[in-house]
Amino acid sequence: MRRLLSIAISALCIVAAIASPAWAQGKTYNHEMGTVTFDTPPTRIAVTNWSLAETVIALGIDPVAIADPDLYYEWVVTPDLPKDFVDIGQRQSPNLEALRKAKPDLILITKELAMAYDALSEIAPTMVISIFNNDQPALDSIRKATLKIADITGKQDRAQEILTQVDETLAHDGDRIRAVLGPDQKIVVIRINSDAQINVFGPPSLPNTVLAAMNIPTAYNGETTGWGFARGGLELLAPFANDTLAFIEPTPAPVRQRIVNSPLWKMQGFARKNRVYQVPAVWTYGGPYSVMRFADLLATQIENGPYK
């Protein structure tokens, strides 16, 4: 009887090994600063960046450690953060002791934290996955990061679901926008930083790559920073007189009022032709949910009418 039981257990082990040959030997993944190997998919993931946090949540995993959670709800808004996680402080300088207490089995960072890579790697295996400022179109980069993290965590099916949802959302919202503006109206997307400074989003940015995926013509296709925007004063808006302008919140209300009531703003063609739209807060350096949130809100605001 004991011999039969031993044979049965051995057989089950062989079947399990055949079913998951790669995990039986561990799997190794490349990232921007090296490789990491996991014997099983990591489940306790710490994130130091909102785009990575959003991507992990999109894959159905609750991060165990998140940076700047209060500001997240002001700038990113959705998806909701999990009920329980460790607040590790600022994104630029996460609290290592708090991070250690979260007991992660994987830490995800972007290259902006490369200087802390060795210290973080002493706490848990650390991977550098930069979704922005990497010379890639933002939407392509978001897709690649989603698939990569899904591969690491064994969430490939969920990744396909969320990326299909993204494609369907962009197709639907593109139709909504064209139904109001027509097929040829170009859109320029900006963020107001202060009375004297704006960001105009260009080719590699999240707003512009999302517009392109929606088959909406983009108005600004010039040079940008690595983050996908040109920065300057209101004079940057002069070339867009015949286009539609969308500005993304949040903007301090007094600043917004001074900008839209300034002579330089009022003389612009988009202002005189009533082609200005206010888009509620969207994280323009986010992940799959930010992509869909931007498309949904832009389409809704255009349907609702121009900013007054």
Side-chain angles (χ1 to χ4, degrees):
M1 183 64 183
R2 181 176 296 175
R3 177 176 173 75
L4 289 175
L5 180 61
S6 176
I7 292 172
I9 292 173
S10 298
L12 288 172
C13 291
I14 292 170
V15 169
I18 292 173
S20 305
W23 282 113
Q25 300 173 2
K27 292 185 72 173
T28 298
Y29 299 92
N30 296 318
H31 64 91
E32 294 167 31
M33 294 187 68
T35 62
V36 294
T37 299
F38 296 102
D39 292 332
T40 59
T43 58
R44 297 184 58 81
I45 302 176
V47 286
T48 62
N49 174 287
W50 289 339
S51 61
L52 293 170
E54 186 185 321
T55 304
V56 169
I57 293 171
L59 293 173
I61 301 169
D62 289 344
V64 297
I66 299 171
D68 282 330
D70 293 337
L71 289 175
Y72 175 96
Y73 281 112
E74 179 181 354
W75 288 88
V76 186
V77 185
T78 59
D80 289 340
L81 296 179
K83 291 183 179 178
D84 297 313
F85 62 87
V86 175
D87 180 349
I88 55 174
Q90 297 180 342
R91 287 165 290 158
Q92 299 86 349
S93 54
N95 183 314
L96 299 187
E97 190 56 34
L99 188 56
R100 194 184 308 276
K101 289 180 179 177
K103 299 179 179 178
D105 55 10
L106 169 62
I107 301 173
L108 294 177
I109 68 173
T110 60
K111 64 182 180 182
E112 284 71 34
L113 274 184
M115 292 288 289
Y117 176 75
D118 290 339
L120 294 170
S121 296
E122 292 180 0
I123 297 174
T126 299
M127 299 185 73
V128 184
I129 301 175
S130 302
I131 299 179
F132 292 86
N133 196 21
N134 59 3
D135 297 325
Q136 297 182 39
L139 187 55
D140 290 350
S141 191
I142 290 169
R143 293 183 193 278
K144 290 177 182 176
T146 301
L147 293 171
K148 186 175 187 69
I149 297 171
D151 190 29
I152 298 164
T153 56
K155 298 290 185 179
Q156 294 92 337
D157 290 346
R158 174 56 188 159
Q160 293 301 329
E161 289 176 4
I162 193 73
L163 293 179
T164 297
Q165 185 180 347
V166 167
D167 291 338
E168 292 173 349
T169 298
L170 300 191
H172 176 64
D173 289 335
D175 290 342
R176 295 169 64 195
I177 292 172
R178 283 189 295 278
V180 177
L181 300 182
D184 301 321
Q185 180 63 50
K186 296 179 182 178
I187 297 179
V188 59
V189 181
I190 72 168
R191 189 183 289 280
I192 299 171
N193 300 323
S194 69
D195 293 73
Q197 188 186 79
I198 61 171
N199 291 349
V200 180
F201 291 100
S205 68
L206 184 151
N208 272 35
T209 53
V210 168
L211 287 173
M214 290 195 293
N215 198 24
I216 303 295
T218 54
Y220 181 65
N221 296 295
E223 293 185 359
T224 67
T225 67
W227 292 92
F229 57 78
R231 175 168 286 176
L234 290 182
E235 68 276 5
L236 288 180
L237 300 177
F240 311 120
N242 295 318
D243 303 321
T244 289
L245 181 141
F247 67 90
I248 297 179
E249 298 288 13
T251 308
V255 173
R256 181 172 62 248
Q257 288 305 309
R258 287 194 292 270
I259 289 284
V260 301
N261 290 315
S262 68
L264 189 54
W265 179 278
K266 287 184 173 181
M267 69 181 291
Q268 304 291 341
F270 52 77
R272 290 185 285 105
K273 297 171 184 174
N274 211 22
R275 289 178 178 162
V276 177
Y277 296 88
Q278 179 187 30
V279 179
V282 173
W283 187 231
T284 46
Y285 313 99
Y289 283 115
S290 288
V291 167
M292 293 187 284
R293 178 174 170 80
F294 171 69
D296 283 343
L297 291 176
L298 179 64
T300 298
Q301 295 304 100
I302 287 175
E303 288 175 339
N304 289 343
Y307 175 74
K308 302 292 185 183

